[in-house]
Amino acid sequence: MVDSVYVHLGLPKTATTYLQTILWSNREALRERGVVVPGSERRDHLWASRTVREERKQEHAPERHRTAWDRIRTELAEADGVGLISHEFFAAASAQQALDMVAALAPAQVHLIVTAREPLGLFTASWQESLKNGASTPMSQYGRTVSRRPADIWNWRTLDLRLVLRRWSQAVPAERIHVLPLDPAAEREEVWHRFAGVLGLDAEAVAGIDLSASFPNSSMGVAQAETLRRINAGLDGFGTAFDRGVYLRSYLADERLVPQGGERFWPAPDQIAECRRRGEEAVEYLRGAPFDVVGEVGHLRVPQVLEERREPDSVTDAEVAEVAVDLVSRMLHDVRDLRRGRGLDEPGEAEASTGPRERLSRIGERGARAARAVRTRLSRDEPDA
């Protein structure tokens, strides 16, 4: 059995994708250094979080989803060194679920790694991430309550550092909870070096880790985000996690809307004030207990002076139309490229001589094949959520 297990539970939108990409692309190198990242694929940690948080849909999920938590624990029980589990959805666990998870990892000693950032940037980024996962809540209505449900991710339940630490510190003593505040002015690699230091990797060990596969999780502009929100509100038939992750998040948002650029944005003034209050509460909470803070706690405060930015509710119909026209144009190019790749680019003489009804029928059949081709291509890089 590994001597200790480090559970990296986010928070969401705190360089988690960046860190997890490094971990999973360097699993063998990390194991050589005594750090075991259990599981056969990255999504095993996502599925394990669903089991730990007792999500109802997990009961009817495929077997490899339902058994991920058991397989992770078995691998850790058969390994030596230090174990590492990483997924930001663990942050939503209740206090009892945290206790149960720690008990299930015994006799290994459990540590927590909590990456954190100032609440305003976190809140704004999390609303956008919720849109990438199919939500249609306007920014002005986002985050108005704190959910009591461990299944709710895009909520102050996981975004408020103090609330997360209050639940998890009932299962893990503060001395074994390592909080890494993100420095907005630092290079990206800095958070990785601090993260690795918590795991006990020295400078020589870190130098041998390949960071080339890591990438930033880019943001949409305000008009692009509002366009996606409206699409989600009118979209039917894309309710599965696969559909949301592959088609909405990866294809539509990351591959088509993010490259458009656009203006950055803030929430409403009262939401900014709430973010500022929660940041101050987090700083005071950290100072009142012996947490291991690796970095500057002041980075968790919302800056007093903010640059001028728009609110999403200010986006006009004309702006949405402009974004949508560009989006449809790019999507038509994608469909044509797929058809050409399948040998369906030009109608032959036989097709040209048929009537419109017959041609429409053939187009429908070919469209279905093209859709399957899209699904196959995108599923090679299916995201975590």
Side-chain angles (χ1 to χ4, degrees), residues 93-352:
S94 69
Q96 185 58 55
Q97 290 166 347
L99 285 164
D100 292 342
M101 181 178 182
V102 171
L105 293 169
Q109 186 182 76
V110 173
H111 292 246
L112 298 185
I113 303 179
V114 186
T115 43
R117 62 190 283 196
E118 57 84 9
L120 177 57
L122 176 60
F123 183 82
T124 305
S126 72
W127 175 72
Q128 185 169 151
E129 193 69 18
S130 76
L131 300 182
K132 291 183 178 182
N133 284 277
S136 58
T137 303
M139 170 67 94
S140 59
Q141 299 175 22
Y142 183 69
R144 293 299 184 179
T145 60
V146 178
S147 175
R148 298 176 61 87
R149 299 177 62 249
D152 290 341
I153 304 300
W154 307 112
N155 184 273
W156 282 119
R157 179 181 184 85
T158 64
L159 305 178
D160 188 311
L161 176 63
R162 183 178 62 90
L163 296 181
V164 173
L165 292 178
R166 282 177 59 184
R167 294 194 303 270
W168 275 92
S169 60
Q170 297 180 48
V172 179
E175 296 85 351
R176 298 207 304 266
I177 298 179
H178 314 277
V179 181
L180 280 61
L182 301 189
D183 180 355
E187 298 291 333
R188 272 196 309 150
E189 291 77 6
E190 188 264 349
V191 67
W192 160 246
H193 288 294
R194 285 192 287 142
F195 186 94
V198 170
L199 296 173
L201 298 176
D202 59 21
E204 181 179 355
V206 171
I209 299 298
D210 181 11
L211 306 184
S212 62
S214 62
F215 58 91
N217 195 352
S218 301
S219 299
M220 295 178 286
V222 64
Q224 288 72 22
E226 175 61 14
T227 300
L228 179 58
R229 190 193 70 78
R230 297 191 191 186
I231 290 173
N232 290 342
L235 194 63
D236 292 325
F238 284 76
T240 68
F242 182 94
D243 284 343
R244 292 194 304 270
V246 172
Y247 295 115
L248 296 183
R249 187 180 192 278
S250 290
Y251 174 68
L252 194 60
D254 290 339
E255 296 183 13
R256 289 293 166 259
L257 288 171
V258 168
Q260 288 190 16
E263 300 173 83
R264 302 177 74 182
F265 53 92
W266 293 130
D270 67 315
Q271 291 171 306
I272 293 176
E274 181 178 13
C275 290
R276 184 168 279 118
R277 174 181 62 80
R278 290 182 185 272
E280 292 295 336
E281 289 176 348
V283 169
E284 293 305 312
Y285 185 71
L286 286 175
R287 287 177 171 169
F291 297 103
D292 176 31
V293 180
V294 186
E296 175 52 55
V297 70
H299 291 316
L300 299 176
R301 288 192 171 98
V302 176
Q304 289 299 315
V305 179
L306 300 172
E307 65 179 17
E308 291 291 330
R309 294 186 187 178
R310 294 178 59 186
E311 297 177 31
D313 287 355
S314 71
V315 175
T316 65
D317 291 346
E319 289 177 292
V320 170
E322 183 178 356
V323 171
V325 166
D326 183 83
L327 180 62
V328 170
S329 174
R330 291 176 180 275
M331 293 176 72
L332 281 175
H333 281 283
D334 293 339
V335 172
R336 186 178 65 181
D337 290 345
L338 283 168
R339 287 176 59 82
R340 286 179 174 175
R342 303 281 292 180
L344 305 173
D345 53 342
E346 297 292 342
E349 291 184 6
E351 181 172 348

Side-chain angles (χ1 to χ4, degrees), residues 71-85:
R71 286 185 278 109
I72 284 173
R73 288 187 294 143
T74 297
E75 185 172 344
L76 292 174
E78 296 174 349
D80 298 319
V82 172
L84 175 60
I85 299 171

Side-chain angles (χ1 to χ4, degrees), residues 341-379:
R342 303 281 292 180
L344 305 173
D345 53 342
E346 297 292 342
E349 291 184 6
E351 181 172 348
S353 65
T354 60
R357 182 171 297 176
E358 290 82 359
R359 289 200 298 273
L360 285 172
S361 176
R362 293 182 184 181
I363 288 171
E365 294 171 0
R366 291 171 176 175
R369 290 197 295 270
R372 288 194 294 272
V374 172
R375 193 182 188 97
T376 299
R377 178 176 69 85
L378 293 175
S379 63

